[in-house]
């Protein structure tokens, strides 16, 4: 029970890494606010947690909207009394280079992937009155470049360095801030990438597995890394970028 009696927010909690992490957090003792723009998915994740004996509430929200971010945090404190953990996981991708991406798509990626981290931290940090842990989802492509993913690479690099700045600013308040940086993980977003690139899933999946461990990651494997960073097991870790990618970046 690594998060016993803790209260956590997971954004992008309807599917993939977010859903796996919300379920794991609850299994480890946390009360969880599952936030996502996908109302049905957020409700489903929360229902699965409650059915297993955990505590969870869903919130339908657009994390690029300031009022919605404030409402997510208020739901946590009003429902469960405190806030200890924030997992900024919501994200999108548009697979295109500088000539192929539209200005509107660029702005959307930056709003969902970067602005949301700022907004959620802006509202969550004052609520972490007894300290806490923030984990932001970066990417291997936040630490190195990738093809046909300009806006995504830029956004995730921003998340990684924003994480470091947040860690410096709020360490004295007892708040640790780290990023988890997955490689290709078998999630709905990975399949969406194949669709955007008009590639067959079998070929795309084989390319994703081209790393030393010979396979893509699973959402549960990333969730366990997030749990580590959110728990007291990582009590002396802040400002770090933890790579979880089967050796791909190496």
């Amino acid at each position: 029970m690594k998060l016993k009696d803790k209260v956590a927010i997971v954004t992008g909690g309807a599917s993939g890494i977010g859903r796996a992490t919300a379920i794991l957090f609850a299994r480890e003792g946390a009360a969880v606010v599952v936030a996502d723009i996908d109302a049905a998915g957020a409700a489903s994740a929360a229902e699965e947690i409650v059915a297993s004996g955990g505590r969870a509430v869903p919130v339908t929200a657009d994390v690029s909207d300031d009022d919605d971010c404030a409402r997510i945090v208020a739901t946590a404190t009003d429902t469960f009394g405190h806030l200890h953990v924030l997992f900024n996981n919501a994200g999108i991708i548009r697979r295109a280079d500088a000539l192929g991406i539209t200005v509107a798509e660029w702005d959307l990626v930056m709003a969902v992937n970067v602005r949301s981290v700022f907004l959620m931290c802006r509202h969550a940090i004052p609520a972490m009155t007894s300290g806490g842990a923030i984990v932001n989802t970066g990417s291997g492509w936040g630490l190195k470049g990738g093809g046909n993913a300009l806006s995504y690479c830029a956004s995730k690099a921003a998340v990684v360095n924003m994480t470091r700045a947040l860690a410096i600013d709020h360490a004295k308040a007892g708040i640790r801030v780290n990023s988890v940086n997955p490689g290709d993980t078998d999630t709905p977003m990975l399949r969406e990438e194949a669709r955007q690139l008009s590639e067959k899933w079998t070929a795309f999946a084989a390319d994703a597995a081209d790393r030393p461990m010979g396979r893509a990651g699973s959402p549960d494997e990333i969730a366990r890394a997030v749990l580590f960073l959110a728990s007291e097991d990582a009590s002396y870790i802040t400002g770090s970028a933890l790579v979880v990618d089967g050796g791909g970046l190496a």
Side-chain angles (χ1 to χ4, degrees):
M1 301 291 281
K2 294 179 183 293
L3 298 180
K4 182 176 173 57
D5 298 326
K6 303 296 185 182
V7 177
I9 291 170
V10 176
T11 71
S15 64
I17 293 169
R19 186 185 185 106
T21 303
I23 291 169
L24 181 59
F25 277 4
R27 191 182 307 145
E28 291 290 334
V32 184
V33 175
V34 183
D36 204 291
I37 201 166
D38 174 3
S44 171
E47 288 166 5
E48 182 175 344
I49 290 169
V50 172
S52 298
R55 296 177 294 159
V57 294
V59 177
T60 305
D62 174 357
V63 290
S64 68
D65 181 84
D66 188 38
D67 290 340
D68 277 12
C69 290
R71 183 164 52 84
I72 294 169
V73 173
T75 299
T77 55
D78 292 348
T79 305
F80 300 117
H82 301 281
L83 178 61
H84 307 95
V85 176
L86 169 62
F87 180 32
N88 282 313
N89 173 69
I92 60 172
I93 193 167
R94 293 294 181 268
R95 292 300 302 267
D97 63 13
L99 305 182
I101 193 167
T102 67
V103 172
E105 287 174 325
W106 172 276
D107 288 345
L108 180 62
V109 170
M110 291 298 166
V112 176
N113 292 5
V114 183
R115 175 182 165 92
S116 68
V117 175
F118 157 62
L119 291 177
M120 286 300 304
C121 288
R122 181 171 176 266
H123 292 290
I125 287 170
M128 293 179 167
T129 54
S130 57
I134 298 171
V135 183
N136 300 321
T137 298
S139 169
W141 278 356
L143 299 166
K144 60 169 285 186
N148 289 312
L150 177 70
S151 60
Y152 184 80
C153 292
S155 71
K156 291 304 183 178
V159 169
V160 170
N161 216 33
M162 183 162 40
T163 297
R164 297 181 181 121
L166 287 161
I168 293 166
D169 288 341
H170 303 288
K172 290 182 179 179
I175 297 171
R176 297 182 299 102
V177 191
N178 294 288
S179 66
V180 63
N181 296 272
D184 288 335
T185 306
D186 190 2
T187 64
M189 192 168 86
L190 192 67
R191 293 170 185 269
E192 170 63 13
E193 288 186 63
R195 188 196 67 77
Q196 289 181 18
L197 293 169
S198 299
E199 293 186 13
K200 291 184 178 180
W201 170 246
T202 51
F204 192 85
D207 185 60
D210 184 18
R211 59 194 63 241
M213 290 186 69
R215 62 179 177 83
S218 73
D220 288 340
E221 288 175 311
I222 312 304
R224 287 195 289 272
V226 177
L227 174 65
F228 165 69
L229 291 174
S231 75
E232 285 302 306
D233 287 346
S235 60
Y236 196 54
I237 301 175
T238 195
S240 289
L242 176 62
V243 177
V244 188
D245 72 345
L249 201 62

